[in-house]
Amino acid sequence: GAGVSQSPSNKVTEKGKDVELRCDPISGHTALYWYRQSLGQGLEFLIYFQGNSAPDKSGLPSDRFSAERTGGSVSTLTIQRTQQEDSAVYLCASSLARSSYEQYFGPGTRLTVT
Amino acid sequence: DQQVKQNSPSLSVQEGRISILNCDYTNSMFDYFLWYKKYPAEGPTFLISISSIKDKNEDGRFTVFLNKSAKHLSLHIVPSQPGDSAVYFCAASGDSWGKLQFGAGTQVVVTP
């Protein structure tokens, strides 16, 4: 079956612009996570969705970052007024249930802010 | 603060030999540990996991060992194969949401 997909695969944007990243989880997976990986770093947790609600937003680095999930499926991560330090690979993962630690990752979106 | 640490950024091993990857953690509330493997331009893929109630879990060529008193886990790959060349991430979880804390990764290169 289809895995987690993310779009775009690459995004180059100018500092100060807004960007929107999309994640399509595996069908039927109720839990969805956003992570980001900066150069030379591990994956950093951003936000967790269970269905359409986000009980854990603790990893969002600033109020320029927001995310939503509609219909318990597709999620979008929006970064407003992008800064150079936002440059990273943004990864989305989904799992069957919130207690299922095995998360399936998409290929990521590489964001470059110039 | 980095709660999961992989202190070796890279590891080179000959084909057929054992690869040993190490991971240390600081949060005693972590109760589940996982290893992920990542190829370039792909997302991480789940490899093997271990619950804190165990000290060893084996799956084919991959074995994970957990030493809770030392807050240390390791991944053994034996025998190593060229296809094992990838970045390996250690991850840990301690909450009911399944949120994972990741280490910085170890780049493994298996040479013929």
Side-chain angles (χ1 to χ4, degrees):
Chain A
V4 177
S5 61
Q6 292 185 246
S7 60
S9 55
N10 277 286
K11 176 72 178 178
V12 180
T13 190
E14 289 180 355
K15 178 182 170 181
K17 301 274 189 176
D18 298 352
V19 295
E20 206 171 82
L21 312 180
R22 177 187 168 106
C23 171
D24 281 273
I26 293 172
S27 177
H29 280 195
T30 58
L32 186 147
Y33 306 80
W34 282 97
Y35 296 88
R36 75 174 176 181
Q37 185 181 15
S38 302
L39 193 63
Q41 304 294 315
L43 282 72
E44 173 191 4
F45 168 79
L46 297 177
I47 188 169
Y48 157 69
F49 284 93
Q50 179 60 38
N52 290 338
S53 64
D56 190 347
K57 305 179 183 179
S58 62
L60 295 178
S62 76
D63 57 8
R64 297 186 295 103
F65 287 72
S66 63
E68 64 174 18
R69 188 180 185 193
T70 54
S73 181
V74 172
S75 176
T76 53
L77 176 70
T78 301
I79 309 172
Q80 294 179 310
R81 305 181 302 282
T82 52
Q83 303 295 311
Q84 287 187 328
E85 62 263 28
D86 299 335
S87 296
V89 176
Y90 289 81
L91 289 151
C92 173
S94 69
S95 66
L96 198 53
R98 72 177 189 186
S99 60
S100 171
Y101 295 103
E102 187 176 329
Q103 298 175 16
Y104 296 82
F105 282 82
T109 294
R110 180 175 296 277
L111 174 66
T112 304
V113 182
T114 61
Chain B
D1 63 332
Q2 192 78 350
Q3 298 185 55
V4 179
K5 297 177 184 177
Q6 293 176 257
N7 291 319
S8 297
S10 64
L11 172 70
S12 183
V13 63
Q14 261 191 326
E15 183 178 1
R17 301 286 187 120
I18 184 170
S19 295
I20 300 177
L21 291 81
N22 293 302
C23 177
D24 296 292
Y25 61 95
T26 58
N27 189 339
S28 57
M29 299 300 292
F30 287 148
D31 60 3
Y32 204 79
F33 304 88
L34 307 89
W35 285 93
Y36 279 81
K37 176 178 177 178
K38 186 180 184 302
Y39 293 117
E42 295 183 10
T45 55
F46 170 76
L47 195 56
I48 191 168
S49 63
I50 187 166
S51 164
S52 61
I53 62 173
K54 295 186 175 181
D55 55 21
K56 177 183 174 181
N57 188 27
E58 191 171 350
D59 184 1
R61 297 185 297 114
F62 303 92
T63 304
V64 56
F65 297 91
L66 175 62
N67 182 335
K68 285 195 298 282
S69 60
K71 293 192 178 69
H72 177 84
L73 65 155
S74 61
L75 174 69
H76 291 207
I77 307 172
V78 54
S80 300
Q81 299 174 354
D84 296 331
S85 296
V87 177
Y88 290 78
F89 290 99
C90 171
S93 182
D95 67 27
S96 58
W97 306 128
K99 176 174 75 182
L100 297 178
Q101 302 277 357
F102 283 85
T106 296
Q107 171 76 59
V108 172
V109 175
V110 179
T111 57

